[in-house]
Amino acid sequence: MYTNGRKLFPIKVRKRRDPVSLTDLVVILINIMYQHPNTSYAIHSTHTDSLCPTALVMEVLKTLCERTECAVECIYQTPVIETLLAPILALLKGKPAKLNSPESSLTHIADTLARITTTQRGLALFLYERKLVCAEGEGISAAHVIVQFTQRLLAKELPASTELENSPAVKGAFIFVCHQMYNTCEGLQVLRPYSLHECIAKAWRKTSSLSERVPTPVPGAVTSSSSQDLQNAVAWEEVLLDNLLNFAATPKGLLLLQQTGAIHECVTYMFSRFTKKLQVSRCEKFGYGVMVTQVAATAPGIVALHSSGFIQAIVVELWSTLECGREDIRVVHPKSTPMDPIDRSCLKSFVTLVNLLSSPHAVWELLGHQALPNKIEYNLREMPTSIIDVMDRLIVISSDAKIHSLFNYEQSHTFGLRLLSVMCCSLDSLLLLESQYKLSDILLQSQKDNAIDSPSGDGEYIIDGLTVERNHLLVRMSVTGGPSERTLPPRALDKGSDPYPWPMFSSYPVPNCYVLDVTKASRSKQDSEISALLASSKDTERDENWMENCRRHFCKAMTSKSTILTGNVLADLVERAVLHLSSSPANCFFPPAEYKVVDHYVKTRSLTSVEQLGINISLRYGLFLKLLREDSEQDLCLLIKHSQEFLSQQRVTLQSELCYLRGGYPGHDWFASTVFLLMGGDVGRSLSLLLRFSRLLPSAFLWPPRVYSSVHIPVEMAQSGIPLLYSCTAHYVEMLLKAEVPLVFSAFRMSGFTPSQMCIQWLSQCFWNYLDWPEICQYLATCIILGPDYQVYMCIAVLKHLQQDILQHTQTQDLQVFLKEEPIRGFRVSDYLEYMESLEHSYRGMVLADMRSILQKNT
């Protein structure tokens, strides 16, 4: 265990020619465990059980595995791993294992292997080290051996040892070793070809049907055998559900879990453990926070959480803390007046709700097409049990009845407004809530009600906590822009004679001080190498070297003088790059779609209220940036309608319980709006670019509506309701983040939040409200010109840039709120391009290959 103790080795022993090394000793101990008979005295006697050789060896191995330094010297050695895997390899080859008690020994082997996989060093050893196991002349990693053995156990294909196939203890122990690997992104990457999720799901379905067939015990009847069978079947079913559930620890794993059809049962099982405050597993220090957040990021996940009762339990717990308090304490110790906007006692509930409602998919499933109750009277004993109740009672307080139904009106409504503020940071969530509940009108009316008519005719406002919150929220909801394009009023008062110098308002437009002035983006072609490249040849689609030159000039310009890559130059460059790529069959990933532009037919299409609101936001942003004219609305509406018509011709009709998959794409097409602004409001140029771009692989990742229910993706993926941005891009963000910026990855885990949720929000709305317009354009140009895998590297670069802020807000327990509400200050794509190129050099082979393969139907 200790450094000085290990220095005693190697030790010379009588009657042995070679000295005994530390590794030799561990191998000898393991062999003692293999040969020790599992006799009755060792099992039933409590005195001798702790002193039997097997128990002593397991205690030593457990201690060594838990200490990183001695694990490296004692356990992570080739002879030790070979000794642990030797019985498994023998059984795989159809030979009997040299074990005195196979069931007991294999369970102990699996327990030791599982402990090794809990550390990053041990996991890497199993996944990538091929010198440990030599099979048929070539080396394979330990992970491959373990997963093959587990598959054979579940399928009952081990001819040399049929008793092991019927041992739930052995099967469960080896599934758990695999579980420790596939609940990490890198482990899932290695194990995915084995389709272990299908093997476990098949075993679960079989066990589930067996447990249903066992008769229920009747009092007085002799049914001990049946009762025991039922208990065993239920216990084994829970083991399988637990291991299936842990696929949800990663974005791609959650997609695999959803495809097994067992997501509802797994989430219900998770809820039963969550209510008992149990850990994820014996090797996991954290609870279910991260997994709940991961599941809640998708439509099927949030539906499963809702049907399990999880969301109801969270809402009831929130209401009990916020409105009720503990009655036994209130009498002897009155509750103190909260000093923070959200009291410490409610912080946990607030963070949980933020995690649950971070994704627009979750908001859509829980609130889509649901009207508020808006009752005439509310019973004080009536507890909210759903998110629609939270909206009705805490957020949209539009009547005296709602005010009087709250014991702590100001505190509770502040809680609701803070929650709404975080939800509205997702533009798609904002559009849904605004279209359904007319939030802006309600907030403006509340501000008007808080105004005092003065003799001068200027309304003065009563400055209180709620008025300040509403002012901040109204600006956040109605002004679009990055860190240097808009100013959000603070929520705190200043000291001095003027505590709140920011202007309040009760009608639009928003006061000018919240909108920062920007210089008009240049539409002229500056003198540069890029301009020379664009002017060199109009027949670029036939020039095979043009794209390589384009990439080289683009990278050079980005790293040396990125300020020239704005306005017309960048628009022309993106347009020419898309033209060149789409003209080459080798670069076209999707088949060319026939689309005849018929303006008069398309104009008759109607837009939903969500789409119209999205267009209004885009127009305001374009006018603010001085990119559009006042009469651009009709052109943008026409582009959105053409885009919808074009994409709808390539969609399959799906029958699903998910709101997300019913009708058209839920949300606004932010990519199409970004292209429209980039092209200066030219609808013909924008549509032409979108049609050509739709043939390219980057369109699947930069343009979410492109692959929504698309005929071009596998049916099981289209039916899953899990977007490609989540199951592919976000998955690789988490994998690379763990390797490249481990402190940030750990901070997310400690916060119970996931990088995937944040990245989905950034990417699905093209970084609107998070980056300034020039950076948004350069992000799109980078992913189009250099490749769609740069989307992953971009997210890693942003998170690396935010590292200090992320670590600080992890300490203050508001990481989720910070990342959602704050823009990405000081980030420039050009500053991180070299870093992104280094990531491309290391990971492109894996990331881009998977982006291509995941969309092919034959995979």
Side-chain angles (χ1 to χ4, degrees), residues 14-15 60 68 75 195 236 337 358 412 481 491 536 564 582 601 624 640 670 677 696 722 736 767 802 808 813 824:
R14 282 187 305 164
K15 298 183 181 179
V60 170
T68 306
I75 303 294
S195 298
W236 177 229
T337 303
S358 280
S412 297
R491 289 153 155 163
S536 63
I564 67 168
S582 62
Y601 168 71
F624 157 71
I640 296 297
W670 299 107
L677 266 61
L696 308 178
I722 296 177
L736 271 60
F767 286 97
L802 293 172
Q808 180 187 334
Q813 298 181 7
I824 304 163

Side-chain angles (χ1 to χ4, degrees), residues 26 29-30 33 56-66 75 80 84 108 112 115:
V26 178
L29 289 172
I30 294 170
M33 179 179 75
L56 289 170
V57 170
M58 283 305 297
E59 188 62 34
V60 170
L61 293 176
K62 176 184 174 184
T63 306
L64 295 179
C65 287
E66 286 175 350
I75 303 294
V80 175
L84 286 169
H108 292 319
T112 306
R115 291 183 188 283

Side-chain angles (χ1 to χ4, degrees), residues 241-259:
L241 275 178
D242 185 59
N243 287 290
L244 266 180
L245 170 66
N246 274 270
F247 276 100
T250 64
K252 198 178 290 292
L254 182 58
L255 173 66
L256 298 179
L257 172 61
Q258 194 279 335
Q259 290 174 352

